[in-house]
Amino acid sequence: MRRPELVKKEVSGIAEYVPGKSIEEIASKYGLDPASIIKLGSNENVLGPSPKAIEAVIAHASGINIYPSADASELVEAISVYTGFPVENICAAGPGMDGLLDNLMRLLISAGDEVILPIPTFSYYEIAARANGAVPVYVSSGQDFAFDIEGIMNAESERTKIIFLCSPNNPTGRLVSEADLRRILEHTGGLVFVDEAYVEFSDCNLAHLINEYDNIIVGRTFSKAFGLAGMRLGYGLMPAWIRSEYMKIATPFNISVPAIVAGIAALSDTLYLQESIRCAREGRDFLIKQIPFRVYDSQANFVLVDVAPLRSRDVSEVLLKKGIIVRDCRSFRDAGETLIRVTVGTPEQNEKVVVAFKEVSVA
């Protein structure tokens, strides 16, 4: 028997999060050999994790009967070395950056507060905010998906609590400039959450602004450049006053022992990180030049393809039948019916993607 009246009213209208398709799902649906499928729909690191991270997980596997440190302090120390920020400005989080977002919404949002969402963007901002009673205010992107800075500032009201900026943005790959971010920080009476999940692939890093402004939080993840998506590990960079309040409500022991040791090891393997970044950047340039549709410039480990006059649903279906998993962007608010997001793969995978798109374009 269903009892929907027991669920808080803020949740009833939330659309369920749409994840990328799995290899197992596509293999079953189309009768394909799982080994033949390439998964380029979730922006994972196609090179996998650092061997040092794998070794660290194996070495500490026998200790998983013991609780991890309550605040993952040893991982925070490693993040401090990597980022150059003191531990007073860092919060480790799980599961992934989503855990950071959930805790921040629990800390900051009261019923009726407004959050500003430049769209299209990562859908979990809206889910986490609305689940805590926030009212989303949408600001559509400008030409070529550039952030509409004037529109964002004009959308503010006395109830604005958080402005979400994903840079590089998912799914567009676009950046917010430092100058524009400064304008927003100085204009708003609320907080600005800057999602830098893809920052390692980018030419722009905005985290240094936490040294100048008291109303900015920067989210990061180990899921992309570090290849630890399965560990669900993230962290936040923020002014010390926010961290102090955040730690009051952060779930204790929310990062597992395997995730902590994998994160520390991954941070130490700078050569592997550099190779992951090189592979993504070179592959990104290849896809932008070779895919025979309009491909938007990107600062992430993916590209956004506009297959107009075809429809993204139809093109995605053709690619899935060929064993190539991409992301149909129709589930992103305001993304339209013709956009497909493609994760940068290995050189061999990228070649297959280009061939498949060429076959679609002449069909």
Side-chain angles (χ1 to χ4, degrees):
M1 179 179 178
R2 300 181 74 244
R3 298 286 298 275
E5 70 275 10
L6 298 179
V7 178
K8 60 183 183 180
K9 64 181 185 300
E10 290 88 354
V11 174
S12 61
I14 297 176
E16 187 174 345
Y17 177 74
V18 180
K21 297 184 182 300
S22 70
I23 289 176
E24 294 75 17
E25 176 185 357
I26 298 307
S28 175
K29 182 175 181 178
Y30 297 105
L32 300 173
D33 177 2
S36 70
I37 297 173
I38 57 176
K39 187 171 185 279
L40 301 176
S42 300
N43 301 337
E44 296 144 333
N45 187 329
V46 293
L47 299 184
S50 159
K52 290 184 178 181
I54 298 173
E55 292 167 5
V57 171
I58 294 172
H60 289 80
S62 62
I64 59 174
N65 61 308
I66 304 297
Y67 281 111
S69 55
D71 57 358
S73 57
E74 60 271 57
L75 175 60
V76 170
E77 291 281 357
I79 295 170
S80 177
V81 173
Y82 173 69
T83 62
F85 290 98
V87 296
E88 291 78 13
N89 296 123
I90 302 169
C91 293
M97 197 193 303
D98 299 343
L100 175 70
L101 286 164
D102 283 334
N103 281 333
L104 287 171
M105 297 307 99
R106 187 152 59 110
L107 173 67
L108 299 169
I109 295 297
S110 299
D113 287 341
E114 293 180 351
V115 298
I116 295 177
L117 298 166
I119 52 175
T121 196
F122 182 47
S123 61
Y124 196 72
Y125 309 142
E126 178 177 347
I127 293 172
R130 290 185 62 180
N132 286 275
V135 177
V137 178
Y138 308 110
V139 179
S140 295
S141 299
Q143 185 176 6
D144 295 337
F145 298 110
F147 287 95
D148 181 358
I149 304 304
E150 295 296 331
I152 291 169
M153 293 193 295
N154 290 336
E156 289 188 57
S157 75
E158 293 181 352
R159 294 194 296 170
T160 299
K161 185 63 71 72
I162 302 174
I163 299 172
F164 288 98
L165 298 171
C166 187
S167 182
N169 187 32
N170 175 16
T172 67
R174 293 295 300 259
L175 294 171
V176 61
S177 71
E178 180 173 330
D180 285 339
L181 178 55
R182 286 180 181 274
R183 289 180 63 198
I184 293 172
L185 287 166
E186 292 166 8
H187 181 271
T188 183
L191 291 168
V192 179
F193 182 87
V194 181
D195 182 341
E196 290 194 333
Y198 301 95
V199 70
E200 281 83 8
F201 308 111
S202 168
D203 298 329
C204 181
N205 175 342
L206 299 169
H208 61 278
L209 294 181
I210 71 170
N211 293 322
E212 299 181 45
Y213 296 90
D214 63 0
N215 60 338
I216 179 174
I217 301 168
V218 176
R220 299 273 184 86
T221 184
F222 285 80
S223 296
K224 309 305 179 183
F226 293 102
L228 298 180
M231 286 294 177
R232 309 303 298 122
L233 183 60
Y235 63 97
L237 304 172
M238 61 195 73
W241 79 266
I242 299 179
R243 181 187 186 274
S244 177
E245 298 298 319
Y246 178 95
M247 295 307 296
K248 295 177 182 178
I249 55 85
T251 306
F253 313 112
N254 69 335
I255 303 176
S256 69
V257 169
I260 289 174
V261 298
I264 293 171
L267 288 168
S268 74
D269 198 346
T270 55
L271 291 179
Y272 195 83
L273 176 61
Q274 290 169 5
E275 176 60 16
S276 293
I277 294 170
R278 183 199 63 78
C279 177
R281 289 184 171 182
E282 291 183 0
R284 182 177 70 196
D285 291 343
F286 175 80
L287 293 176
I288 290 173
K289 293 175 182 176
Q290 298 297 323
I291 291 177
F293 291 97
R294 181 176 185 184
V295 184
Y296 291 91
D297 191 25
S298 172
Q299 286 280 299
N301 69 333
F302 59 82
V303 296
L304 185 67
V305 183
D306 189 340
V307 297
L310 305 177
R311 298 171 72 85
S312 58
R313 174 173 52 193
D314 301 328
V315 176
S316 297
E317 182 78 6
V318 172
L319 296 177
L320 290 173
K321 290 178 179 179
K322 295 176 180 290
I324 301 173
I325 300 176
V326 294
R327 184 62 181 266
D328 177 355
C329 290
R330 286 178 299 139
S331 63
F332 288 85
R333 187 181 293 275
D334 206 34
E337 299 287 330
T338 65
L339 299 176
I340 293 175
R341 193 190 68 197
V342 183
T343 305
V344 177
T346 64
E348 296 76 18
Q349 291 172 339
N350 294 335
E351 290 278 2
K352 290 182 180 179
V353 167
V354 169
V355 169
F357 271 110
K358 286 181 178 178
E359 290 174 349
V360 170
S361 69
V362 299

